[in-house]
Amino acid sequence: MELIKLILRNTLRQRLRAALTIMGMAVAILAFCLLRTVVDAWYAGVAAASPNRLVTRNAVSLIFPMPINYRQKILQVPGVSRVAYANWFGGVYIDERNFFPRMAVGPEIFFDLFPEFVLPDDHLKAFQKQRNACIAGQKLVQKYGWKLGDTINLTGNIYPGDWQFVLSGVYRGATKTTDETQFFFRWDYLDEVLKKNMPYLSGYAGWYVVQIRNPFESGAISRTIDALFKNSWAETLTETEKAFQMGFVAMTDAIVTAVRMVSFVVIGVILLVLANTMTMTARERMSEYAVLKTLGFGNRFLFFLISGESVTLALLGGLLGMALAFPVADVFAAEMSTLLPVFHIHWKTLLLATVLCLAIGLLASAFPTWRATRIRIASALSHIG
Amino acid sequence: MTENKSATGALPIVLVENIHKSYRRGSQEISVLRGINLSVAEGNFIALMGPSGSGKTTLLNLIAGIDRPDEGHLFVAGTDITLLGELDLARWRAHHVGFVFQFYNLLPVLSGLENVELPLLLRDLTRKQRREHAMLALELVGLQDRMHHYPRELSGGQQQRVAIARAIVTDPTLIVADEPTGDLDKASAAEVLGLMEQLNREFGKTIIMVTHDPRAAEKAKEIHRLDKGVFNNK
């Protein structure tokens, strides 16, 4: 108890130095939390992937579609319970900067396969009833101020033309990590228009989402599905949803690695700053450590005294940084909602930041503690005055 | 065996036998103490005097167990402290020696009472017992009314009295004082010396004091003069 009192009083002894160190630490931990959250956001699709969902796409590339009749064939594969399908639409909403994912989906069961999209029954029924209906995520609706019944105009690029959709439903995420910025409309509406204007593009799905009964059979089922279409003009590649999402992340792997590295460089920099502070502090107090040793206090006491002060500074700064990370992340999330739709500080990030604060505190005090424990009392006391 | 025998003839509480100590300064070896012998009886109050560099502070540090001799033996209360390891020596200091320094060396973040309480943290005492002991020690040095003041709020003389209270609070075998009046004005120095004299006379405390000041040395029962690492008591 007395030791803790002494640590706290020593910590606040040089108020300006302590305040600057705490603020530096806070900024570093804030940056660390945000950078880690950027990485988490990058992997949000992977994290949200379900183990009992497979994705079947064209083996050559995702940009090449597959015939819509593949759905019936996939449904025949043992172990498959349901199959949904979708097309990437692209398009522009007012301005190209207003990016959000826009997809044409089979209206029958698509939302049954994605329970993480929580949709009221009446919204789903309205979607299934009206041919040009669409469903949007809650964040998207809030961002653009849409209301149910509003007409949303998109300009097509992959599928040229002016497209009009009526907002019939709004989904919310089952968890904080669910993307609430997606926009879905009916595949049959897309196909109907294509049949009229661009018949060569109709009758195709971009990918199939395959629900399986047993996740442990995903490998065998994937192989069976791909074997069905072997030597056809549109061979398939089936993989778990997680692997499918990882494929997107892998394209930007270098960026993610760089962000990760920068987050640890920030920690390295603040470690040096705190180590410098603690070295200065300990050097100024060598005579006090000598007095404590004279009175009979051992090296263990000095270790707790110095490292305790260092850890206190690191933790105070770290906690401040973590507290600031939440409002800053909210602002960041609002600004970057289209690029990083799921931007939440994960508890694992906070835990890692806390562990790093402790480690920084201990490491920063290692050298001054070592010096303090090695001082010769007589020579340290002879320098006093 | 010893150049200086106890004047009182009582059993020695401190026995210094043929102590040698030298320091290295670069490539040069400086011999500070050269075969010192000294015997201090229990309850004695001795002053070590001598010019700068004569080795008096080094001898005091050796007797107090905060430095080690190159050669020779040091017995304090029957223990040869030259044979103790670092940890045992630290424990021994905590139990047997009270320190008074020239510049008081109080911890600035602790109040007078907390500074006095500090050595008691190494004893098996409750918080209440520690407080009681520390308050009693402060009462003995006449500072009970300023016990909650921090060192920066006290005069030099008052800080030295707190340091004396810290030195006596564990009831040590021996009190060592290195120039206790060196940083004080005349009046404060007189107060501090009076206090040390009182501790020796009324409580039978054995005191070894290093001083340059002849008026301070007059308060001691014995004066030992060091010159170039040997006693010169002519």
Side-chain angles (χ1 to χ4, degrees), chain B residues 84-103:
Chain B
L84 298 178
E86 279 304 315
L87 208 62
D88 288 334
L89 194 58
R91 260 187 229 128
W92 175 85
R93 279 197 304 270
H95 282 82
H96 292 282
V97 189
F99 295 87
V100 181
F101 305 97
Q102 180 180 357
F103 298 106

Side-chain angles (χ1 to χ4, degrees), chain B residues 5-12 39-42 44 222:
Chain B
K5 291 206 171 124
S6 164
T8 59
L11 281 174
S39 173
V40 181
E42 190 169 5
N44 205 348
E222 288 178 29

